[in-house]
Amino acid sequence: MRFPLFLISTLLLVNVVQASGDSWQALFNGKDLTGWDTEMMRKPDPTWDVPGLKRDANGVYLEPMGKNNDPLHVFSVIDLDGQPTIHVSGQGFGVMMTTATFTNIHLRLEVKWGKRKWSDKLHQPYDSGLLYFCHSEAGAVFGTWPRCLEFQINQKEFGDLYALGSQVTVPARQDGNVWRYDPAGTPTLFVDKPPIGMHCAHLEDLEKPEGEWNTLDLIIFNGNSIHVVNGKVVMRLYNAQQLDGAAPALTSGKICLQTEGGECYFRNVEIEPITEIPAEYAEPKK
């Protein structure tokens, strides 16, 4: 018997939800990158051999790899530690972006560092990122990233904020040369202009030793968000807004994982729709 395509799709979705035993839904199917687009908007290093990409007479690349063109296999699926895993080689700067848009979700994933670094990141900390509220194509910010908020994934900076082409308010205090999240701090607007800027540092460093898996949770609810590293809240953000368009409130968007010069791995990437902040991450009552 042949079943209609829509019925097969429905059955597959039901099986995924039933297999999880709850309302969690996988964003990574464990086999390939279905549901994601790759976007590499910065021109490759001239020392790299990128098949099919044009160069000038001096060997400089004339164009980026662009959308869904990944001849270097920057983003791929492998088996690691006995589980299907997204391998991000770190070669180049770009993102893998969900094709779907999300509103009011709890996102969870695991991440750990690899061994390789590339180009101008050779002597810098390993770097990646979880981008959310993405509301443009890649390349809109610094010619590389989409407009979004970033849950930073960087050695010693897990959970930091970067407001990329967006703005958001965070309770913060000045800590030397940086602004740092402080639950008792002053509500501070972070946006890419003086005197504050786009970067807010996390409350405390909870990254595990190199080689171990870190669990990151991101709560998105009604334009607010919470960054959680290995089970502990390291930042609360409020009233996200876009800087372009007629409706400034930023309550939904796509999700991205970055490649930013350092090799890393992601696994167990999943989301759960929510109608309120999960109790374990709710703001303490004053």
Side-chain angles (χ1 to χ4, degrees):
M1 173 182 272
R2 299 185 64 181
F3 294 93
L5 182 59
F6 78 88
L7 181 56
I8 294 173
S9 299
T10 301
L11 290 171
L12 288 172
L13 178 59
V14 169
N15 284 339
V16 168
V17 174
Q18 287 180 341
S20 68
D22 53 28
S23 57
W24 286 92
Q25 303 165 17
L27 281 188
F28 165 49
N29 66 16
K31 298 178 180 179
D32 55 35
L33 299 181
T34 297
W36 301 79
D37 290 317
T38 62
E39 298 192 40
M40 304 287 287
M41 304 309 297
R42 189 180 296 189
K43 296 176 184 177
D45 190 307
T47 63
W48 301 342
D49 181 18
V50 185
L53 215 59
K54 297 178 181 178
R55 299 177 184 255
D56 66 15
N58 297 315
V60 176
Y61 284 104
L62 297 173
E63 56 189 352
M65 288 187 284
K67 187 171 183 176
N68 291 327
N69 179 39
D70 187 10
L72 298 180
H73 305 292
V74 176
F75 301 100
S76 62
V77 177
I78 64 170
D79 184 86
L80 182 68
D81 298 339
Q83 291 193 37
T85 301
I86 298 171
H87 177 221
V88 180
S89 74
Q91 188 174 10
F93 294 76
V95 298
M96 50 181 284
M97 181 186 294
T98 59
T99 57
T101 297
F102 301 97
T103 303
N104 294 349
I105 59 167
H106 179 179
L107 183 150
R108 177 175 292 152
L109 59 77
E110 293 178 275
V111 59
K112 77 171 182 175
W113 302 117
K115 297 296 183 183
R116 296 202 67 176
K117 297 180 185 178
W118 302 85
S119 302
D120 55 347
K121 292 283 190 173
L122 280 174
H123 305 293
Q124 297 186 33
Y126 287 101
D127 198 357
S128 184
L130 167 61
L131 310 183
Y132 62 100
F133 286 149
C134 300
H135 56 284
S136 76
E137 294 293 322
V141 180
F142 307 141
T144 307
W145 315 119
R147 296 185 182 94
C148 62
L149 297 183
E150 178 176 4
F151 184 137
Q152 172 73 312
I153 304 172
N154 181 298
Q155 286 179 302
K156 306 304 181 184
E157 293 185 0
F158 269 54
D160 281 17
L161 159 73
Y162 281 90
L164 301 173
S166 307
Q167 65 182 29
V168 69
T169 298
V170 180
R173 57 179 168 82
Q174 202 155 9
D175 182 9
N177 295 324
V178 304
W179 285 86
R180 185 171 300 281
Y181 168 70
D182 183 342
T186 302
T188 304
L189 183 67
F190 289 88
V191 63
D192 188 17
K193 62 181 180 181
I196 306 300
M198 65 167 69
H199 176 224
C200 182
H202 57 242
L203 179 64
E204 58 182 307
D205 181 16
L206 296 171
E207 180 184 359
K208 292 184 178 180
E210 189 173 333
E212 295 186 20
W213 289 98
N214 295 273
T215 300
L216 308 184
D217 289 86
L218 169 66
I219 312 301
I220 299 173
F221 189 70
N222 291 348
N224 304 325
S225 53
I226 305 172
H227 295 183
V228 183
V229 177
N230 292 318
K232 190 168 183 178
V233 173
V234 297
M235 188 174 301
R236 297 182 187 274
L237 308 91
Y238 302 91
N239 193 29
Q241 294 185 312
Q242 56 183 322
L243 301 178
D244 57 328
L250 197 48
T251 58
S252 64
K254 296 182 178 183
I255 302 293
C256 291
L257 302 177
Q258 285 181 321
T259 176
E260 198 170 358
E263 184 181 31
C264 61
Y265 303 93
F266 294 97
R267 72 181 186 186
N268 296 327
V269 185
E270 56 186 359
I271 61 167
E272 180 181 43
I274 58 175
T275 57
E276 61 182 359
I277 302 293
E280 63 267 39
Y281 305 121
E283 193 166 2
K285 294 182 178 180
K286 298 180 181 179

